[in-house]
Amino acid sequence: MPNDELFSSPIEVRGPLQSTRSPRDREPNDVYAEKLFQWQQTRLQKRLDGEYQSQVFRLSELVGGNLSTPLSVSRVRIEGASKTRPGFLARVVNPYLNDGAGIEQESTLETVLQKTKEITYALARTQLFKNIVPKIETPQSSLAGVNEVDLVFRCEERSRLSLKSSTEVGNGDASASANVRLRNAFGGAEDLEGSVAYGMKTQHTYRLSLSAPLTGSMLTRGELTTYAIDNDYQAWASCKEAQKGVKAAVSTINSFGQHELSYQAVMRHVHSLTPDASMSIRRSAGTSLKSSIHYNFIHDTRDDSVMGRRGMYFKLNHELAGIGGDTSFAKIETESQASRQLFKGLHVSLATRAGFLYPLGGKATMFSDRFKLGGPLNVRSFRHNSLGPRDHGDAVGGDTYWAAGLSFIGDLPKKPHWPLKPHVYINAGKLSTLDRTQPLKNALRDAVLNPSISVGIGLIYRFDPIRLEVNFGMPLVANKSDGYQRGFQIGFGLECL
């Protein structure tokens, strides 16, 4: 009976005090489909990242341990460049394959990798390709040596035709423009570009240019340009001026900066005189031809071309006219700027400009060639082109000028990243006609003394690549002929004093 009671009584099976289930790899306890999927994706990504880093480490070890292995280039192949001439590509690539003038250099894996990097950068400088993928492959030629390889660059060419329309604001003018560009027009990185623009002061502009690289390094280019411009000067000189010209230029870049040497032939036509135009403007009316040689140099180390906090900028423009044409002169113009941060949130900017125009061959200078000064972009608190000699209300320009500006530009409190900046400025400048009846030294001294001076405060807003200024200022010193402007003044442009 005891045995019967044992087998007949129910047996109570008790579970453990706590669940034996526990995450072994941090999987979610509540296994919902979305959480489980996210966990699986994260785990897979970690595994892939680990494998990638491991492969990169192994590859680095493999390459680093064999840099001195003898290896040479058998052939360079550029695939996907169907619209580009092979001769042009050879001119780009060949300088990096030559070992030098008579210098024997052992070719190793390290030199091959260096050549691959340099050729990739050289192809990128042509701006013809969107993607460039370099590879080292076994040579296709049966005559290649044991230690030779092919460098293969798989490229994707950019679109040749581009159309662009825009509204542009700069240097006190606003315009609407349309631009057509044909990239790589003849298979050698040539650019054929045409544009048309209609504006307020520059009423219309037509331009057609063809530029091409002159060297395989792409640092030297040649350009041919023809253009037609119609400017409205009636607000300050009671006339309009039409220009039609051609330009041939060669530009290059080196460690000193950008250089450009050009020849220009321009037909100028002063027309549409208002009824109250002065005699100086009436004498300038008509057509004149200018034939001149230009040299431009730019050196720029600023961290920002619109609102730089540190660095320097220098620009030199020299023009010699008289190779035929109706005018003959020597003209030089300089522009400089230096910026420096005084402390966090405040920097100072010092800018200067100067120009000198000297007639040659006993000819007087023409209205179209003289300098103009004044306005919200150079000497603030003066009207546009209102400084210097005048004839019955018309600004007729001058032969010499100088201008300087000192600005303190700061950040808004707690908003240093905003493109809106307050500034305080002081400007000075003078535009005058060179008195040829007295010695040159005395004439230059008179051109420097007694400048017009203005001070003010304002706000600068950055519209890359231009800047907009809203200033409140007043002139401290002004000459009798200057057109000054007290109070608020708005200016926008590319270059500001």
Side-chain angles (χ1 to χ4, degrees):
M1 292 298 294
N3 292 336
D4 294 338
E5 293 178 0
L6 179 62
F7 286 103
S8 62
S9 61
I11 300 176
E12 183 179 358
V13 181
R14 297 181 179 180
L17 296 178
Q18 60 182 1
S19 176
T20 58
R21 295 178 303 171
S22 61
R24 293 185 302 171
D25 200 6
R26 296 182 181 179
E27 66 269 18
N29 291 325
D30 299 327
V31 187
Y32 295 107
E34 184 176 353
K35 290 185 177 181
L36 180 60
F37 177 75
Q38 292 177 357
W39 168 75
Q40 289 175 341
Q41 290 292 334
T42 302
R43 188 179 182 188
L44 178 61
Q45 188 62 42
K46 289 182 179 179
R47 181 181 299 174
L48 292 176
D49 291 344
E51 291 178 357
Y52 174 77
Q53 293 176 3
S54 177
Q55 291 177 3
V56 169
F57 180 74
R58 294 196 193 103
L59 182 61
S60 300
E61 279 191 327
L62 179 63
V63 173
N66 294 274
L67 290 177
S68 59
T69 301
L71 198 67
S72 60
V73 178
S74 172
R75 185 184 177 189
V76 175
R77 304 200 310 269
I78 301 176
E79 301 177 354
S82 58
K83 302 174 184 177
T84 308
R85 298 195 311 268
F88 169 75
L89 294 175
R91 194 163 48 133
V92 173
V93 171
N94 285 342
Y96 302 98
L97 298 178
N98 299 328
D99 294 333
I103 301 177
E104 294 293 335
Q105 182 179 2
E106 182 182 3
S107 182
T108 62
L109 174 61
E110 183 177 10
T111 60
V112 170
L113 293 176
Q114 182 64 26
K115 291 178 180 179
T116 305
K117 178 181 177 181
E118 292 173 346
I119 294 175
T120 303
Y121 288 160
L123 293 175
R125 281 198 300 269
T126 64
Q127 299 182 357
L128 300 179
F129 310 106
K130 291 190 292 187
N131 298 315
I132 303 173
V133 180
K135 290 188 176 182
I136 299 178
E137 297 183 356
T138 55
Q140 293 181 345
S141 175
S142 58
L143 300 178
V146 178
N147 295 327
E148 292 185 348
V149 293
D150 283 357
L151 298 184
V152 181
F153 299 88
R154 292 186 171 87
C155 305
E156 182 182 355
E157 289 184 316
R158 297 179 184 270
S159 175
R160 300 183 72 175
L161 183 64
S162 65
L163 303 174
K164 182 179 69 172
S165 62
S166 61
T167 302
E168 300 174 354
V169 178
N171 294 334
D173 193 11
S175 64
S177 64
N179 181 280
V180 180
R181 180 184 180 188
L182 184 61
R183 181 187 288 109
N184 200 18
F186 307 109
E190 303 91 355
D191 284 341
L192 181 61
E193 187 172 359
S195 64
V196 56
Y198 294 90
M200 297 169 56
K201 297 178 182 178
T202 303
Q203 293 189 326
H204 64 255
T205 302
Y206 306 102
R207 183 175 179 271
L208 180 65
S209 66
L210 173 64
S211 64
L214 301 181
T215 60
S217 65
M218 308 298 296
L219 298 179
T220 303
R221 296 185 67 89
E223 182 178 5
L224 295 174
T225 306
T226 179
Y227 59 90
I229 305 174
D230 196 358
N231 295 310
D232 187 356
Y233 299 152
Q234 291 184 349
W236 51 272
S238 303
C239 67
K240 296 182 181 180
E241 183 185 37
Q243 299 182 7
K244 296 180 180 179
V246 294
K247 174 183 175 182
V250 176
S251 60
T252 187
I253 301 176
N254 58 20
S255 58
F256 297 101
Q258 304 176 24
H259 307 261
E260 181 183 88
L261 182 64
S262 64
Y263 169 78
Q264 294 188 41
V266 187
M267 184 70 70
R268 293 93 55 90
H269 181 209
V270 178
H271 64 98
S272 300
L273 275 63
T274 62
D276 56 349
S278 64
M279 289 303 299
S280 297
I281 298 299
R282 294 182 184 276
R283 284 194 294 266
S284 301
T287 302
S288 64
L289 175 64
K290 181 181 74 170
S291 175
S292 63
I293 296 176
H294 287 252
Y295 170 72
N296 294 326
F297 170 73
I298 297 177
H299 178 74
D300 193 355
T301 61
R302 296 173 297 179
D303 58 348
D304 191 316
S305 60
V306 179
M307 212 179 300
R309 294 178 179 269
R310 59 179 61 87
M312 297 184 64
Y313 172 81
F314 177 75
K315 180 180 180 180
L316 172 66
N317 182 11
H318 188 268
E319 181 180 8
L320 180 63
I323 310 173
D326 303 318
T327 183
S328 181
F329 60 84
K331 187 176 184 179
I332 186 170
E333 189 172 9
T334 64
E335 181 179 343
S336 64
Q337 183 184 22
S339 301
R340 184 173 182 178
Q341 187 170 359
L342 299 179
F343 50 83
K344 187 175 181 180
L346 180 66
H347 68 277
V348 61
S349 174
L350 175 63
T352 62
R353 297 178 185 177
F356 180 72
L357 172 66
Y358 191 81
L360 302 176
K363 298 181 180 180
T365 58
M366 293 186 172
F367 169 78
S368 302
D369 303 318
R370 300 188 193 117
F371 299 109
K372 285 81 180 179
L373 187 65
L377 299 181
N378 41 68
V379 184
R380 300 174 179 88
S381 298
F382 291 89
R383 293 195 298 270
H384 184 67
N385 291 344
S386 66
L387 271 67
R390 305 182 76 86
D391 186 1
H392 290 84
D394 290 334
V396 297
D399 300 329
T400 64
Y401 87 95
W402 68 270
L406 180 66
S407 300
F408 293 90
I409 305 173
D411 297 330
L412 291 176
K414 299 182 181 180
K415 301 292 182 181
H417 59 284
W418 277 22
L420 184 66
K421 309 288 183 183
H423 77 133
V424 179
Y425 66 84
I426 177 171
N427 292 163
K430 185 174 182 180
L431 174 69
S432 59
T433 302
L434 190 66
D435 187 357
R436 301 176 64 185
T437 61
Q438 60 178 334
L440 181 61
K441 181 179 179 180
N442 296 337
L444 292 177
R445 183 187 59 192
D446 294 340
V448 172
L449 299 179
N450 302 319
S452 302
I453 304 174
S454 64
V455 296
I457 61 174
L459 294 173
I460 303 173
Y461 191 86
R462 172 174 179 159
F463 285 102
D464 199 18
I466 68 170
R467 78 184 202 178
L468 169 68
E469 291 188 6
V470 179
N471 299 316
F472 182 87
M474 61 179 298
L476 298 181
V477 179
N479 293 302
K480 184 182 298 185
S481 61
D482 295 340
Y484 57 84
Q485 180 177 345
R486 294 191 184 97
F488 287 99
Q489 191 177 37
I490 299 176
F492 45 85
L494 301 172
E495 299 175 351
C496 299
L497 192 64

